[in-house]
Amino acid sequence: MQQQSFESYVRHGLTPFFRLPVVDDGRITRERYQGCDAALLGVPYDGGTTYRSGARLAPYHVRRVSALVPGYHPTHRLEVFQRLSAVDCGNVMAPPFNPQAMRELVHAEVAAVLDAGSTPFVIGGDHSVSLPVLRALAERHGPVALVHIDAHFDCSVAENWGENFHHGTPVRNAVEEGLIAPGQLFQIGLRGPWGGESDAAIPEAFGAMHVPADELGTTGAATIARRIVERIGDRPVYLSIDIDAVDPAYAPGTGTPVPGGMTSRELLGLLRGLAGVRVCGCDVVEVTPMLDHADVTCLLAAYALYEGLALAAIARV
Ligand code: MN
Ligand code: MN
């Protein structure tokens, strides 16, 4: 699917992701996604945030700035949007005050995407939107590999807030529900301080590979990516990109910032280094446009999403 030219994009004034074609059929059916390789779906939901909310607005702003992203990938030597038929499929209409309804709607929508043989690319929303995506993927593929790029483990226990599901729990929920294949959890960009020693207990017991932000800086994104690619092999892999993995200096527009993170160049380099894995889905979450400056976080989210699409385009070859 071709991007529209800048001229036609400016002429009609609509702002789909990456100037792509739009599906405007409101139904949740597999027919809606037939013939598209990659379905881009916004989930404007932030009812799972524990601190600063506002990620519900990210799909609108990432769409707007993604118009700047051209299609040709100079590292992979590939026209991403020619190789990959990608479509802006609009937003999941989740009531902002009902987390269970959000999970059911996202699950149903992503299941329809997968039924049509398409790959879901989800733009959150807070990180609680990833769990229903992983549920739909595991139903389709069995347990998947998860590359989880984040400052946080997202393995918070229900006792912390008296609530089993929020943006600090999707990885614990996914581990407990058997959605991740053993030995196939990769958490990159981690840093502290933690609430206590037990913060790492669940992912460590699960055998996760942990790459703190410091180690990414000293070892290098390309080397880390190579190790991950080797361990994943040909398993289907889900990429979950929490933008707070990146240092607040590069990504200030996020709800739970932690100093000492990776650079935007390291994030994009890490994603480029994953070339060859079988991407079965991807999300970019925790972008909070109202806390952003000069669109830097929204732009990074759009470029990270583009790298995910490029990986899917390579996997389609
Ligand atoms: Mn985070
Ligand atoms: Mn997260």
Side-chain angles (χ1 to χ4, degrees):
M1 211 73 71
Q2 292 270 18
Q3 291 177 292
Q4 304 168 60
S5 67
F6 277 109
E7 290 77 8
S8 76
Y9 167 79
V10 172
R11 175 72 184 89
H12 63 59
L14 303 174
T15 59
F17 286 117
F18 303 107
R19 291 177 274 120
L20 290 168
V22 175
V23 167
D24 56 8
D25 178 346
R27 298 166 303 156
I28 303 178
T29 61
R30 82 197 286 275
E31 286 73 31
R32 192 170 190 264
Y33 300 105
Q34 214 73 53
C36 89
D37 300 330
L40 282 79
L41 274 171
V43 183
Y45 176 86
D46 60 16
T49 42
T50 52
Y51 186 40
R52 308 189 296 187
S53 58
R56 71 180 65 179
L57 297 174
Y60 306 100
H61 290 266
V62 175
R63 275 191 179 89
R64 176 173 53 79
V65 300
S66 71
L68 266 76
V69 183
Y72 187 78
H73 200 299
T75 309
H76 302 320
R77 299 270 159 182
L78 136 105
E79 263 307 339
V80 170
F81 298 111
Q82 277 179 21
R83 187 72 63 81
L84 193 74
S85 153
V87 178
D88 186 335
C89 298
N91 294 331
V92 178
M93 278 276 288
F97 29 71
N98 189 335
Q100 190 179 336
M102 178 280 289
R103 291 193 295 275
E104 288 168 4
L105 287 161
V106 171
H107 190 150
E109 194 87 51
V110 172
V113 170
L114 297 171
D115 276 352
S118 181
T119 303
F121 284 80
V122 172
I123 298 83
D126 70 53
H127 219 153
S128 67
V129 308
S130 302
L131 179 64
V133 183
L134 277 162
R135 285 174 175 167
L137 284 167
E139 265 170 24
R140 183 96 199 162
H141 299 288
V144 297
L146 174 61
V147 174
H148 171 221
I149 304 172
D150 203 321
H152 307 95
F153 293 109
D154 287 359
C155 286
S156 186
V157 292
E159 289 72 33
N160 285 358
W161 290 89
E163 169 58 52
N164 195 25
F165 302 105
H166 56 76
H167 79 156
T169 69
V171 175
R172 173 183 56 80
N173 296 131
V175 166
E176 289 177 356
E177 295 180 22
L179 311 180
I180 307 170
Q184 295 297 317
L185 172 57
F186 305 89
Q187 297 187 290
I188 304 133
L190 303 160
R191 51 201 187 268
W194 301 348
E197 184 67 34
S198 64
D199 276 23
I202 290 170
E204 280 177 359
F206 189 66
M209 173 176 156
H210 281 161
V211 182
D214 287 344
E215 189 184 332
L216 187 69
T218 51
T219 305
T223 303
I224 296 294
R226 223 167 14 247
R227 288 177 193 163
I228 294 170
V229 172
E230 273 169 25
R231 277 181 55 172
I232 290 178
D234 63 355
R235 283 182 190 80
V237 54
Y238 186 61
L239 306 175
S240 190
I241 306 165
D242 181 332
I243 208 71
D244 72 25
V246 179
D247 194 273
Y250 300 90
T254 194
T256 325
V258 186
M262 65 181 79
T263 64
S264 43
R265 191 164 56 202
E266 282 169 340
L267 172 64
L268 299 175
L270 180 71
L271 293 169
R272 284 174 199 141
L274 295 176
V277 298
R278 269 179 66 205
V279 177
C280 65
C282 173
D283 66 50
V284 180
V285 296
E286 298 286 340
V287 175
T288 308
M290 286 188 299
L291 299 170
D292 203 7
H293 300 289
D295 288 334
V296 287
T297 315
C298 291
L299 271 168
L300 179 58
Y303 277 79
L305 190 60
Y306 171 79
E307 294 296 340
L309 288 161
L311 293 176
I314 294 167
R316 290 242 162 206
V317 174

